């Protein structure tokens, strides 16, 4: 596959930060047995990865803005472009020695995502997309799954946890969905969840209470793989809304209908 110069910059920044995270991940697994635990070490790894990515991206395009999870937003003088980065999506997995985490990067141009990279250093899976150019896993072109009915579908989700989200509302949605699908999965990394939809591993996905860096890259991956992406209520800007439903045309629509199904009253 041919990559633009900007996408190549993103890929190289992801590989560089990924090597560092892979080394730190090995150390975290060793720290599991310590009394203090690995939490402080992980937060340092997270910040170190973001610094590395920020330096590489802004070196290539110093006038662009930068929004990352770990630091304050940098307003670019360009005004039209912004990098959106999560240096370690799946921090809890990383913390517990689970090899399911990713670096997520997106380039936004005048409010639209035009390039995306999601890289899992533990598996060496590199997902890339450019607007109008398709989505790829390493060098293989991606297409969303072809299943058309929820009863055949495996869907991913993100579950609220301690101190996050509306637990009651989510449990209602989960109850509705679990009675309609072949399976539900919760892997704990939104960027990889969306990459899995793009790759046809999941047939659909939904989640609320997300930040821009959680899903900006994944939104483009799914769209460039032929998928439908909306916010929970069917709007066209999930990155701004902070909620998402996606899949192919049939699964995304059916999933949205089930999630919004009225709660039966006694």
């Amino acid at each position: 596959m041919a990559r633009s110069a900007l996408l190549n910059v993103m890929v190289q920044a992801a590989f560089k930060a990924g090597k560092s995270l892979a080394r730190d991940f090995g150390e975290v697994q060793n720290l599991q047995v310590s009394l203090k635990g690995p939490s402080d070490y992980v937060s340092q790894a997270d910040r170190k990865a973001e610094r590395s990515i920020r330096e590489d991206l802004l070196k290539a395009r110093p006038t662009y803005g930068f929004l990352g999870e770990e630091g304050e937003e940098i307003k670019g003088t360009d005004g039209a472009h912004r990098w959106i980065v999560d240096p370690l999506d799946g921090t809890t997995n990383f913390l517990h020695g689970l090899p399911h985490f990713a670096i997520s990067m997106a380039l936004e141009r005048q409010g639209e995502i035009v390039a995306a990279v999601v890289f899992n250093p533990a598996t060496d899976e590199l997902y890339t997309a450019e607007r109008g150019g398709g989505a790829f896993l390493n060098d293989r072109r991606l297409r969303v799954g072809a299943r058309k009915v929820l009863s055949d579908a495996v869907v991913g989700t993100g579950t609220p946890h301690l101190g996050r989200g509306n637990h009651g509302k989510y449990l209602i949605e989960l109850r509705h969905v679990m009675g309609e699908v072949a399976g539900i999965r919760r892997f704990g990394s939104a960027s990889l969840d969306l990459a899995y939809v793009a790759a046809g591993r999941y047939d659909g996905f939904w989640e609320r209470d997300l930040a821009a860096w959680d899903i900006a890259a994944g939104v483009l991956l799914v769209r460039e793989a032929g998928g439908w992406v909306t916010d929970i209520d069917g709007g066209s800007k999930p990155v701004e809304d902070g909620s998402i439903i996606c899949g192919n045309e049939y699964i995304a629509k059916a999933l949205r209908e089930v999630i919004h199904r009225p709660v039966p009253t006694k």
Side-chain angles (χ1 to χ4, degrees), residues 21 24-25 28 42 45 88 90-98 101:
L21 283 179
D24 290 333
F25 183 64
V28 166
V42 171
L88 179 52
T91 304
T92 302
N93 287 344
F94 191 98
L95 176 69
H96 287 82
L98 298 171
F101 56 89

Side-chain angles (χ1 to χ4, degrees), residues 22-38:
R23 288 193 299 269
D24 290 333
F25 183 64
E27 292 300 316
V28 166
Q29 290 178 305
N30 294 331
L31 286 169
Q32 293 291 341
V33 298
S34 72
L35 181 63
K36 183 178 180 182

Side-chain angles (χ1 to χ4, degrees), residues 92-160:
T92 302
N93 287 344
F94 191 98
L95 176 69
H96 287 82
L98 298 171
H100 191 80
F101 56 89
I103 295 165
S104 177
M105 287 186 242
L107 175 60
E108 183 183 65
R109 177 179 295 139
Q110 295 179 331
E112 297 292 334
I113 306 301
V114 296
V117 169
V118 174
F119 176 53
N120 183 347
T123 61
D124 281 328
E125 288 193 332
L126 174 71
Y127 299 85
T128 57
E130 292 188 89
R131 190 175 182 184
F136 296 83
L137 168 54
N138 298 329
D139 292 323
R140 178 172 63 85
R141 183 72 177 260
L142 298 180
R143 293 295 297 177
V144 294
R147 296 179 181 86
K148 295 184 178 181
V149 293
L150 283 179
S151 58
D152 294 332
V154 170
V155 300
T157 186
T159 56

Side-chain angles (χ1 to χ4, degrees), residues 4-257:
S4 70
L6 276 177
L7 187 60
N8 274 324
V9 166
M10 296 168 72
V11 168
Q12 292 308 310
F15 283 163
K16 179 180 173 183
K19 288 181 181 178
S20 177
L21 283 179
R23 288 193 299 269
D24 290 333
F25 183 64
E27 292 300 316
V28 166
Q29 290 178 305
N30 294 331
L31 286 169
Q32 293 291 341
V33 298
S34 72
L35 181 63
K36 183 178 180 182
S39 298
D40 291 341
Y41 192 90
V42 171
S43 64
Q44 292 171 22
D46 207 337
R47 290 192 294 267
K48 181 171 61 176
E50 182 164 313
R51 283 196 302 270
S52 172
I53 293 166
R54 183 175 63 242
E55 288 170 2
D56 286 347
L57 295 183
L58 293 183
K59 181 180 179 181
R61 293 294 187 273
T63 63
Y64 288 11
F66 185 93
L67 175 65
E69 183 178 15
E70 298 305 318
E72 293 185 4
E73 182 174 2
I74 298 172
K75 299 289 187 180
T77 58
D78 170 278
H81 294 85
R82 179 172 66 159
W83 303 107
I84 304 175
V85 174
D86 190 341
L88 179 52
D89 181 31
T91 304
T92 302
N93 287 344
F94 191 98
L95 176 69
H96 287 82
L98 298 171
H100 191 80
F101 56 89
I103 295 165
S104 177
M105 287 186 242
L107 175 60
E108 183 183 65
R109 177 179 295 139
Q110 295 179 331
E112 297 292 334
I113 306 301
V114 296
V117 169
V118 174
F119 176 53
N120 183 347
T123 61
D124 281 328
E125 288 193 332
L126 174 71
Y127 299 85
T128 57
E130 292 188 89
R131 190 175 182 184
F136 296 83
L137 168 54
N138 298 329
D139 292 323
R140 178 172 63 85
R141 183 72 177 260
L142 298 180
R143 293 295 297 177
V144 294
R147 296 179 181 86
K148 295 184 178 181
V149 293
L150 283 179
S151 58
D152 294 332
V154 170
V155 300
T157 186
T159 56
H161 48 81
L162 181 65
R164 292 285 301 274
N166 186 326
H167 294 201
K169 189 171 189 176
Y170 176 78
L171 288 173
I172 292 171
E173 293 176 355
L174 181 62
R175 185 178 74 179
H176 288 166
V177 174
M178 65 192 294
E180 301 288 342
V181 299
I184 298 176
R185 302 290 183 266
R186 200 284 189 188
F187 284 176
S189 171
S191 64
L192 284 175
D193 288 331
L194 296 177
Y196 279 19
V197 174
R201 296 174 176 176
Y202 286 163
D203 297 294
F205 178 81
W206 94 97
E207 188 172 359
R208 296 181 184 269
D209 302 310
L210 294 158
W213 50 75
D214 293 319
I215 59 173
V219 164
L220 185 65
L221 285 172
V222 175
R223 285 176 172 162
E224 288 298 321
W228 282 46
V229 185
T230 69
D231 62 41
I232 290 285
D233 294 319
S236 62
K237 295 188 177 293
V239 176
E240 291 86 341
D241 183 75
S243 70
I244 190 167
I245 293 178
C246 63
N248 65 29
E249 175 184 358
Y250 305 97
I251 297 298
K253 287 181 176 180
L255 191 56
R256 188 167 67 244
E257 290 173 4

